[in-house]
Amino acid sequence: MRHLWDVFLISDPDLGRLRKGLRAALGAGLAVLVLSWLARLLGEPPTVTLVGTMVAMMGSQLATDTEPRAQRVTTALLVFPAVLAAVLGTLAAQIPLLGAVAFAVTIFITTFVRRFGPRGLALGMIGFFSFFNALFFRAKLAQVPALAGAMVVAVGIAYAVRFVLIPDRPERNLRRLLRAFRKTLDVVLWELAEVSGQPRLTPALVRRLSLQADRLSDAALAVEDLLPSDQIPLRQRLFEVELAANRVLGAVRQIIETGALSPEVRGEVHSALVAARIAIRHRAPAASRMMHTHLERLRAATPEPTRDEPGSSDARRFRNSLSDLVDASFLLTDELLPEALGPRMTESPNPVAQELAREGLHPSTRQALQVTVASVLAMAAGYAVSAERWYWAVITAFVIFTRTRSSGDTVQRAWARVLGTVLGVVAGLFLARLVTGHDGLEIASIFVCVFLGFYLIQVSYAWMVFWFTTLLSVLYGLLGRLSPGLLYLRIEETLIGAGIGVTIALFLMPERTTAHVQKVARQVLDAAGDYLEEAVVNRTRETDQARLLDSARVLDARLRELRTAARPLLAGKLGRFSPRAVRTVHAVSELVLSVRHLEMGRGLLGLNGTSRELLREAGLQLAHNTRALADSIGAEEVPPVEPASALLDKAQRSLVGEETLRRGPASPPILLHWLTRVDEALALLAQSLRAPTRLYFPWRP
């Protein structure tokens, strides 16, 4: 049986989603209590309470700045666009044509300000929804002062919920994240033990192993995100454990792929993985000794060959990598945790966005034009279908462009919006009829839907839409206005907004997914070239360890950006129309995997002068090849790259004495192995870039 609790902890390593859900529910609940009391006291209608509740609920979520202080400033600043947009929305609602024009201008401005980073996105989103809610709840001119006051109170509630009642605690979060990293490692080993006996390497199994590697990388990066750059011991231990786990993944994959080991020997592999998992999970020396017993049996069953036979080399690779993993995990202790967290390293501006800005229209300007045109068209089409519910089409056209960078992203988000709406309508009709007439259940259902919507938003946008559509059904039931026809109209308006949004994304100033993937791939290769220079060309005993770790983590982050950008191509069938882009993503990923295993060039230390100079020359050639291929991505011609194999062979032959016998991930032979893999990965990348683009259709032979 799968370890469901372990999987849950991994999917939510720092309880961040739980906090998001609790903040949203608590913010909405406090806003309802406070604002409804004030509304009754001042004789104001429920409109003021409803608009303020939406702002309090969203305001507790929107600040995503890197630094805690910046998050507080952003949340406090929300009051200004919230008040301004709510007042303007109320004024514009009195004249329909003026309201439509003002809404279009608001949409353009709130999208345009995304160029200013997380703060611009937060202020823009609160401005849009404050304007929208004033229209949605049909606020009156007489309510403008009360509405402005409600915005101030709502933002105050959001601030209190976010930073006083349910605050982020970096020190506690770091401990949770480190535990989550260990738990991720635990599940990776459990997965490997489960698949180690598979008879062949299928595409589904490759995806399964890749998913585990991605989860491990995400868990490590989550810890890195909270660590100051001067925490060298913890950062280095974390990096070593992650690399060792990746080597174990590669070794198990190789065992399955070659199929050279007998079932009995595979049993020793399985037992060793189980023992390693127990040893790491409980820090148990007895389990570690048991693991070494199984590894010794594995060594005895596959004696050292006179030539590189697949079974023996696979077993040797597995033994070494698993031993390295357990040793590195035992060194990753809580004593390395800092007592207090200082300022973190701020992330540099996105080079992709800078490149696009240099080429012409800034991404936020292009998207603002797309969103505005899509929203105006959705407004007209939605109004033609329903003069009262047209805003559902508009809000769909707006939100499917949020946090997207390419046409493929927009298509995926539109599909998630439609899917979540359709399923939410079905679930909402069932739930609303179940709880209607039971006031307590209705109120509880509303807050449960709010909590689950924000809790699951990081899992899938479709889940958020599902729960908020369900919430809408319960809310209409509470107000006595629920009808299947109304919810079916929501589906129709959502389809209109999604269809128009996708059409605009594809045909009006489109940012093609393949073009975006190519830009991010160039960024990844540039980072790989930088790391090769840092870890091989310029590596000495005096090299700043923090600088090396920063360079490695930048490479990790860039690869994650590439996989995110390529998700529309890799997750669905769009990749059939862009086979070259898919091949490029796989080739770049393989290259980065090999580059990361250079262990920050520690194998260079202690080498004789001749070997060291040859390896540095080879590293320089590899960095040059990496940047040359980066420049050729998307170009018509790919320049020839000079392989570094000759230099690596000379370096191999120049090793003397103890250098040839040294073992371990930071030894000269292993460094040479991974540099050779980098050279081969660059040749494969060059080959994939030169391959002709061909559309693939399943009905073709």
Side-chain angles (χ1 to χ4, degrees), residues 475-482:
L475 187 60
Y476 276 135
L478 183 64
L479 298 175
R481 298 164 61 185
L482 178 67

Side-chain angles (χ1 to χ4, degrees), residues 311-339:
S312 297
S313 61
D314 293 349
R316 183 175 64 248
R317 180 182 177 188
F318 174 76
R319 294 197 312 269
N320 293 338
S321 60
L322 192 62
S323 296
D324 291 341
L325 174 60
V326 173
D327 292 344
S329 300
F330 277 19
L331 294 175
L332 184 63
T333 63
D334 288 344
E335 286 73 21
L336 296 173
L337 288 168
E339 295 183 1

